[in-house]
Amino acid sequence: MIGQLSGLSFNQPKFCSLPAWNSVGITFATNNIISGDPYSLFITSNNSIYVVDRSASRIYIWLNNSFYPTITISNGLSGPRSVFVYNNNNDIYIDNGNSNNRVDKWILNTNTTVPVMSINSSCYSLFIDTNNTLYCSLDSYQIVVKKWLRDNNTTPITAAGNGTVGSAANTFNYPNGLFIDSNFNLYVADCLNHRIQLFYPGQSNGITVAGATSVNTTITLNRPTGVTMDADGYLYISDYYNNRMVRGGSNGFKCIIGCSGGGVASNQLRGPRYMTFDSYGNIYVADTDNYRVMKFIYSNSSCGPTTTGLTSITSTRIIQSSTTSMKRSTTILSSTRSSTYSILTTHEPIQSRSTKAVIGYLIQCLILFILYI
């Protein structure tokens, strides 16, 4: 069973200690719907799905569990790479920096756009924290910038990185995916340094929490492009060149999706750039180099008994005759809200067939006796 942190526009599920997902995915969308390559995606807390198609300069939106996209945004966009949705699907923040040098807020119910951040190139990733601060990773400039959305000034400030390529604690080599937790800690997928960097608030030096150079090396990454987190602080990483999704924390990481190598099969990925959750804990992956979006179902049985189970109820019947007593038991399976198995025994007297036959014979003899008299 999963829970969910409240007050967020995206899904941050709370799982048990050892969650698992079906290794065979379901194709949610492919190039018969998405004309180009799915670069990233976003799922709101009410399960509206947004897919960024960079090569076609479009944002596809599935509202209210629709089978096909209900809205497509394309006007004025130039090669968008990321999207973040805020305020109950109404405010859509879109990277429009490729040639337009800005991040736009698309107001859905009025179908209008407002520039909110001025940038020099496109944002690989966008994120808005709970303090209404918008973050953008400018990978070609080797920095992460931020801006408070309640300030009308569209010029951002640097949040991490010093603008030079490097592997030091204060530098990046193409910063990609972003995540900011409830304590305003910044996580960055430092792609070509093959690591995930953690920056505490106000700190310019990052700590490597995943990758070959981490303090406790538990996994080797190859060009990670995305990072997100569940409600218990476990990281989920899009390991792009290893064609897989990994999950873990301070005690280690393990592969959860795409663990049989890259490819086109339903249990494989090829160049996955981004992943996110729906409210049920299912994982959606932008399987970019396969030109598709894949859905991997969360296994409710992965953590033992669930909240719904089968209870075994035994009903015992007593069969009586003039000379012997016998017991007959039957087992009934019924649904219950408890995962504990219990036994309920009931007793019901039943008259046997032999007793009925003796009584019937005596009645017939009595009738014949009366007629003879």
Side-chain angles (χ1 to χ4, degrees):
M1 185 177 182
I2 65 170
Q4 164 71 24
L5 291 182
S6 60
L8 300 176
S9 63
F10 58 94
N11 298 293
Q12 199 172 2
K14 183 177 180 61
F15 299 107
C16 64
S17 59
L18 296 172
W21 289 261
N22 193 327
S23 62
V24 178
I26 300 168
T27 302
F28 174 77
T30 186
N31 54 11
N32 65 328
I33 298 176
I34 303 171
S35 57
D37 56 331
Y39 211 80
S40 66
L41 45 82
F42 189 97
I43 301 180
T44 65
S45 56
N46 62 2
N47 292 325
S48 293
I49 300 173
Y50 295 71
V51 176
V52 178
D53 184 348
R54 186 190 185 194
S55 60
S57 295
R58 294 176 181 174
I59 309 293
Y60 298 93
I61 307 173
W62 285 256
L63 296 175
N64 302 318
N65 297 312
S66 56
F67 189 75
Y68 290 104
T70 52
I71 300 172
T72 300
I73 300 174
S74 59
N75 292 338
L77 297 181
S78 176
R81 294 201 289 176
S82 52
V83 64
F84 195 97
V85 184
Y86 205 60
N87 192 22
N88 296 322
N89 289 317
N90 195 44
D91 296 339
I92 306 168
Y93 293 82
I94 303 173
D95 162 47
N96 200 10
N98 185 45
S99 60
N100 293 319
N101 298 320
R102 65 180 187 259
V103 175
D104 289 333
K105 179 175 74 170
W106 186 287
I107 305 172
L108 192 60
N109 60 5
T110 63
N111 200 30
T112 58
T113 60
V114 178
V116 294
M117 180 186 283
S118 299
I119 48 180
N120 296 322
S121 66
S122 69
C123 299
Y124 189 97
S125 180
L126 292 172
F127 197 96
I128 301 175
D129 68 17
T130 56
N131 196 34
N132 295 306
T133 300
L134 172 65
Y135 292 75
C136 158
S137 56
L138 296 172
D139 56 342
S140 59
Y141 283 82
Q142 313 302 333
I143 56 174
V144 175
V145 296
K146 66 180 180 179
K147 175 199 170 300
W148 193 42
L149 290 174
R150 293 176 183 173
D151 185 352
N152 292 329
N153 186 355
T154 61
T155 303
I157 62 174
T158 299
N162 63 11
T164 62
V165 175
S167 58
N170 64 338
T171 61
F172 294 118
N173 194 349
Y174 284 83
N176 283 186
L178 304 175
F179 187 89
I180 293 88
D181 66 18
S182 59
N183 294 317
F184 306 105
N185 300 313
L186 167 64
Y187 294 82
V188 183
D190 190 7
C191 182
L192 295 187
N193 278 327
H194 314 293
R195 66 187 183 182
I196 304 298
Q197 293 291 92
L198 163 62
F199 293 86
Y200 292 112
Q203 299 297 313
S204 60
N205 289 334
I207 300 170
T208 303
V209 294
T213 58
S214 61
V215 176
N216 297 315
T217 302
T218 57
I219 194 168
T220 300
L221 303 174
N222 195 346
R223 299 193 179 188
T225 53
V227 58
T228 189
M229 181 183 288
D230 66 20
D232 289 312
Y234 287 92
L235 292 176
Y236 295 75
I237 302 168
S238 302
D239 196 4
Y240 180 74
Y241 258 37
N242 282 327
N243 304 300
R244 64 182 181 176
M245 299 290 132
V246 298
R247 173 187 187 267
S250 58
N251 293 325
F253 287 79
K254 71 171 185 177
C255 178
I256 56 172
I257 293 172
C259 306
S260 59
V264 300
S266 297
N267 66 336
Q268 294 178 311
L269 303 170
R270 189 169 63 178
R273 289 190 180 273
Y274 199 80
M275 65 147 283
T276 191
F277 299 104
D278 66 14
S279 65
Y280 305 103
N282 304 315
I283 289 177
Y284 288 70
V285 178
D287 192 13
T288 306
D289 293 351
N290 276 328
Y291 302 97
R292 65 188 183 184
V293 175
M294 297 296 290
K295 176 182 179 180
F296 295 87
I297 303 296
Y298 171 64
S299 175
N300 285 310
S301 61
S302 62
C303 297
T306 62
T307 56
T308 300
L310 289 177
T311 298
S312 175
I313 303 176
T314 302
S315 175
T316 304
R317 291 186 173 184
I318 300 176
I319 302 176
Q320 296 179 330
S321 68
S322 58
T323 57
T324 61
S325 294
M326 296 178 291
K327 289 186 178 181
R328 180 177 63 200
S329 47
T330 58
T331 300
I332 305 167
L333 294 178
S334 62
S335 294
T336 180
R337 289 182 177 271
S338 172
S339 60
T340 304
Y341 288 78
S342 60
I343 297 177
L344 174 65
T345 302
T346 61
H347 299 278
E348 177 187 354
I350 299 179
Q351 198 174 37
S352 68
R353 292 183 179 180
S354 59
T355 303
K356 290 181 178 180
V358 171
I359 294 174
Y361 175 77
L362 292 175
I363 291 174
Q364 290 178 3
C365 292
L366 180 59
I367 294 172
L368 291 174
F369 178 77
I370 292 174
L371 292 174
Y372 178 79
I373 295 176

